[in-house]
Amino acid sequence: MEPATFRCWDHRPTDGATGRAVGLISAWASPLRSCSGLSANFTDGLLLRFVRITPGKALRNVATAANNWLRISSFSSCGFHLNSNIMSGSNGAKENSHKKARTSPYPGSKVQRSQVPNEKVGWLVEWQDYNPVEYTAVSVLAGPRWADPQISESNFSPKFNEKDGHVERKSQNGRYEIKNGRPRNPAGRTGLVGRGLLGRWGPNHAADPIITRWKRDKSGNKITHPISGKNILQFVAIKRKDCGEWAIPGGMVDPGEKISATLKREFGEEALNSLQKSSAEKKQLEEQLHKLFSQEHLVIYKGYVDDPRNTDNAWMETEAVNYHDETGEIMDNLTLEAGDDAGKVKWVDISDKLKLYASHAQFIKLVAEKRDAHWSEDSETDCHGL
């Protein structure tokens, strides 16, 4: 039974700074519920108490208070972290974490999203005039095997928040809300309803294999960065055909497919052009990929992704996994060749200067941190948490 004292406040503070803090606090509640399994009344009430006890103070104090509470609770173990530098401004909690999901035009179209200000992203913030644009791409409405029917179709009864036959409708971030028969994006408003380019209502699961090696000189020695003094790490990047941005060579998890199989399949298709290989070449390629993908690996991230394809009712989630070729011998025997959705492929030096698709730069930063590799020339920010 949840303590009654932690039930959500029925009113909102009117103080200027505190009022802005409510927008920040509301955006934190959904991930906290996902991590904790607690109800909205419990988590929202706890978070809003910070607003009550810090009226009129700077927003950074509210963020600090919430961070302190997270540290003494068990919620930080689920991988959700607050960045007080981001939270301290008046622009709202979603300025960085929910930015690409609000960009216009929507990818592959001329559709303009309804504008969603940072302070109105969170569903807990009341917005009676919210009027998002409805859009689902023609390619999705055509009914390919990887896409759901429209919610309105009588023969479609999806089992949200659970395994639905071979389709995984559970979110990596916990349970999500269903409103008027449609799943609600756990990260907040995007200015667009429907599915856009995404096939599934609710979470659309992907897998991102991050293949790394140390940058070496002609003698085989690791190259260190002259300023940070740390070894330089490289990863295999592809240039996407759809948007022209550089990215991790990942892709969608097929129904019933294991994540480990998706990771290997997508890397082979996009970075090694496995689909165009002969039977003999495919066999040899499979042997090399088995060596790479059967070794120890690091799960870098599991969960929601800030992706330009996201809508209020459909969103991307991924599992990003790092496979590291310590000696470089495995990848030396594999020739990079762009295939499938990739226009180009190459080894890229890892640093904070990377401009990558969706949230991929954040995943790469985490890899650099885990491998104690070079990330930034600024020693104060080199490989600190996101």
Side-chain angles (χ1 to χ4, degrees), residues 267-277 285 335 337-340:
F267 183 74
E269 291 176 359
E270 296 192 345
L272 303 173
N273 197 22
S274 62
L275 295 176
Q276 302 301 319
K277 302 295 183 184
L285 193 61
T335 302
E337 181 182 349
D340 198 25

Side-chain angles (χ1 to χ4, degrees), residues 232-372:
I232 297 175
L233 199 63
Q234 296 180 313
F235 84 104
V236 176
I238 63 159
K239 190 172 186 180
R240 295 175 61 106
K241 288 182 179 179
D242 57 357
C243 63
E245 293 186 82
W246 287 92
I248 299 166
M252 306 305 295
V253 180
D254 289 338
E257 186 178 39
K258 292 184 178 180
I259 294 289
S260 57
T262 307
L263 291 163
K264 184 163 66 172
R265 174 177 58 79
E266 286 293 338
F267 183 74
E269 291 176 359
E270 296 192 345
L272 303 173
N273 197 22
S274 62
L275 295 176
Q276 302 301 319
K277 302 295 183 184
S278 66
S279 297
E281 290 173 327
K282 285 181 179 179
K283 184 178 180 181
Q284 185 179 12
L285 193 61
E286 179 61 33
E287 292 176 357
Q288 294 296 326
L289 286 175
H290 179 73
K291 289 181 182 179
L292 179 64
F293 283 87
S294 62
Q295 62 182 344
E296 288 189 18
H297 53 270
L298 293 175
V299 176
I300 299 300
Y301 178 83
K302 294 170 67 173
Y304 179 89
V305 179
D306 182 24
D307 190 288
R309 294 169 293 181
N310 291 354
T311 75
D312 285 8
N313 310 122
W315 59 90
M316 288 296 302
E317 297 190 9
T318 197
E319 183 167 330
V321 182
N322 175 217
Y323 294 88
H324 180 63
D325 185 6
E326 178 64 29
T327 64
E329 293 177 358
I330 298 177
M331 290 306 300
D332 281 347
N333 294 321
L334 290 171
T335 302
L336 297 182
E337 181 182 349
D340 198 25
D341 298 328
K344 296 180 180 179
V345 60
K346 66 178 181 179
W347 286 100
V348 174
D349 292 357
I350 290 177
S351 77
D352 62 351
K353 295 180 174 59
L354 288 174
K355 302 295 182 184
L356 301 176
Y357 179 79
S359 300
H360 290 190
Q362 296 176 359
F363 303 156
I364 296 299
K365 180 179 180 181
L366 286 172
V367 172
E369 179 181 342
K370 294 289 186 182
R371 301 290 179 188
D372 194 27

Side-chain angles (χ1 to χ4, degrees), residues 54-127:
T54 57
K57 292 187 178 181
L59 292 178
R60 62 177 178 274
N61 292 338
V62 180
T64 300
N67 267 315
N68 290 337
W69 177 70
L70 279 170
R71 275 197 293 271
I72 63 175
S73 72
S74 62
F75 294 119
S76 59
S77 64
C78 74
F80 176 71
H81 304 283
L82 300 179
N83 186 329
S84 58
N85 293 326
I86 295 174
M87 299 296 191
S88 62
S90 60
N91 289 333
K94 297 296 180 180
E95 182 176 359
N96 290 331
S97 63
H98 194 64
K99 184 176 181 179
K100 294 189 177 183
R102 290 181 284 156
T103 54
S104 289
Y106 186 87
S109 76
K110 297 181 180 180
V111 176
Q112 297 289 323
R113 298 176 186 264
S114 296
Q115 291 190 350
V116 180
N118 294 321
E119 66 273 11
K120 294 285 185 68
V121 168
W123 294 112
L124 293 178
V125 179
E126 293 184 12
W127 189 7

